[in-house]
Amino acid sequence: GLILPILLLLLSFVILARIGIGTLFLNVGYVRLVAGIATESAEVVEQAEHLFDLVGHSSDLYQDAQRGIGFALFFQQERNGAVSAWKNVEPQDVYPLAVWLHSHREFDVVTDLLEATLDKYPNSVHRLDWWHGLVSGLSALEQWEMVIEAAQQALVEYPSDAELLFSFGRTLYTRYQDVDSAERLIKQAIAEDEKFAEAYAWMGHMMSAEGRPAEAYDWYRKANEIKPSKNWRLLQANMARVTDLSLAFTLYDKIAKDFPDYTDAYYELAWAYLLANEIDLAIDAIEQALNYAPTNGRYYYRAGEIIKQIEDPDQIIEICQEIAEINPNNPLKSSEVCP
């Protein structure tokens, strides 16, 4: 009866000898860390941190232990301590960590970590990723001057990087409305990467904001050719609505067929019908939007704009009743539009 337990004990010694006690503590630390986070137990997370501290005294596992300590401190709301620990992880582990932090909207932590890492490793092969992460984090924080400074520094090292050129140009327009510089930089980004769909779309946004709908239409069209997006397709149709209503109707109809529950498509189509003085079709479109989104205030406002174009009081009453059936407490109820 003792043979099996003794064999298991001997096997465990062999395993420990093979992986080392430090690695064992490291793995147990991560198990405790996961358990502590899952159960929201600060005590268990602290136990994991102590295990990582023990492992940290082993030089070959120091960086792995620092990563674990960083997570333990992070989940104990000790952000500065977490960054201090994460500064000591392997360079190749920094960017995935930054991506994870960004996805959790920890933008301050992202920028602190990447700024320190860029200073620490001036010759690393991972620097471009770190610059991308830093510019993205600063953009999320809307620290536009710092975005520009970071992008300029990064472009000294990587002058032909499309993402950096794009970020620089987009920020110049967002912060300073410098359309000429932004256009030049974003076009340069596109020249470096002809499949950079987001850059084409952003040119569309910029041309639209600048009152240049024909150019905006063309940029959105190119973006959709590379990476079709229902949002970009709708924006493309909106630009056509300014210059070519017939083309706009074709585009709206195609979007509605491809995405039948895309409520904004009906909302925009309603405005196009109103511009064409097709009031009945405009009402049909906005009611379709309301059927999908009966609490959207924008849609009721547009419905009101359309109803105001109707002269027949009986038709107004009928439409208001239809809208009341969609939402009895709609904003048009007892208003000047639907008295």
Side-chain angles (χ1 to χ4, degrees):
L2 293 175
I3 295 176
L4 182 58
I6 291 172
L7 287 173
L8 291 173
L9 180 62
L10 291 172
L11 179 61
S12 69
F13 287 151
V14 171
I15 293 172
L16 284 175
R18 188 173 185 83
I19 67 174
I21 193 68
T23 303
L24 177 66
F25 280 1
L26 186 70
N27 292 335
V28 173
Y30 275 111
V31 171
R32 298 302 289 165
L33 178 61
V34 171
I37 294 168
T39 60
E40 298 183 355
S41 170
E43 181 181 354
V44 176
V45 172
E46 287 177 7
Q47 292 172 6
E49 183 185 349
H50 293 323
L51 284 166
F52 293 132
D53 278 333
L54 289 172
V55 177
H57 295 295
S58 172
S59 60
D60 58 329
L61 296 174
Y62 175 76
Q63 291 168 315
D64 288 329
Q66 290 296 304
R67 182 175 57 237
I69 290 172
F71 277 112
L73 292 171
F74 177 81
F75 285 104
Q76 294 177 78
Q77 306 299 316
E78 297 181 29
R79 299 297 198 262
N80 291 335
V83 171
S84 295
W86 283 330
K87 288 176 184 176
N88 298 308
V89 303
E90 292 277 3
Q92 65 266 24
D93 292 337
V94 173
Y95 184 67
L97 180 56
V99 171
W100 181 86
L101 288 165
H102 196 286
S103 70
H104 287 75
R105 305 188 65 79
E106 294 286 345
F107 306 125
D108 285 318
V109 182
V110 170
T111 55
D112 288 348
L113 174 61
L114 292 176
E115 284 173 349
T117 305
L118 283 161
D119 287 341
K120 185 174 181 178
Y121 298 104
N123 300 309
S124 173
V125 296
H126 303 287
R127 287 181 64 82
L128 181 57
D129 285 338
W130 299 340
W131 280 121
H132 286 165
L134 178 59
V135 169
S136 179
L138 291 170
S139 297
L141 292 169
E142 298 186 356
Q143 295 182 357
W144 302 121
E145 285 77 10
M146 295 181 69
V147 172
I148 290 171
E149 182 181 350
Q152 288 175 320
Q153 291 179 21
L155 284 166
V156 171
E157 295 182 41
Y158 305 98
S160 60
D161 182 73
E163 187 172 332
L164 291 172
L165 290 164
F166 169 65
S167 296
F168 190 14
R170 179 181 59 185
T171 303
L172 286 176
Y173 186 74
T174 302
R175 182 66 181 86
Y176 299 109
Q177 289 73 56
D178 185 349
V179 64
D180 292 334
S181 296
E183 186 174 355
R184 174 179 55 79
L185 285 162
I186 297 174
K187 284 182 176 179
Q188 188 178 345
I190 290 170
E192 297 293 344
D193 181 0
E194 294 181 353
K195 299 297 184 181
F196 197 167
E198 287 77 8
Y200 289 94
W202 222 89
M203 283 293 297
H205 302 336
M206 191 164 59
M207 294 300 102
S208 175
E210 291 296 310
R212 295 153 63 176
E215 292 175 75
Y217 172 87
D218 200 44
W219 285 111
Y220 286 130
R221 178 184 60 78
K222 291 175 181 177
N224 284 312
E225 288 174 355
I226 297 167
K227 183 181 175 182
S229 157
K230 67 178 183 181
N231 293 333
W232 295 345
R233 286 174 60 184
L234 185 59
L235 291 168
Q236 180 184 344
N238 290 348
M239 293 302 100
R241 186 175 63 195
V242 180
T243 57
D244 187 341
L245 264 177
S246 177
L247 174 60
F249 286 131
T250 300
L251 294 172
Y252 286 131
D253 287 342
K254 185 69 166 65
I255 294 168
K257 288 177 183 177
D258 292 343
F259 307 99
D261 59 349
Y262 186 23
T263 55
D264 270 359
Y266 301 108
Y267 169 79
E268 298 291 356
L269 176 60
W271 187 250
Y273 280 131
L274 182 61
L275 292 174
N277 202 33
E278 297 282 358
I279 304 300
D280 290 343
L281 292 174
I283 289 294
D284 289 343
I286 200 62
E287 286 185 349
Q288 183 81 318
L290 288 169
N291 276 315
Y292 281 113
T295 62
N296 191 308
R298 286 189 307 127
Y299 296 175
Y300 288 103
Y301 181 79
R302 177 142 299 175
E305 290 179 307
I306 298 168
I307 293 170
K308 288 177 182 177
Q309 307 304 311
I310 300 173
E311 297 180 355
D312 184 351
D314 291 333
Q315 186 181 7
I316 292 175
I317 292 172
E318 180 183 353
I319 294 168
C320 289
Q321 288 174 342
E322 291 172 354
I323 293 174
E325 290 176 5
I326 296 171
N327 180 359
N329 298 315
N330 71 81
L332 299 180
K333 185 179 180 181
S334 300
S335 69
E336 62 176 17
V337 176
C338 291

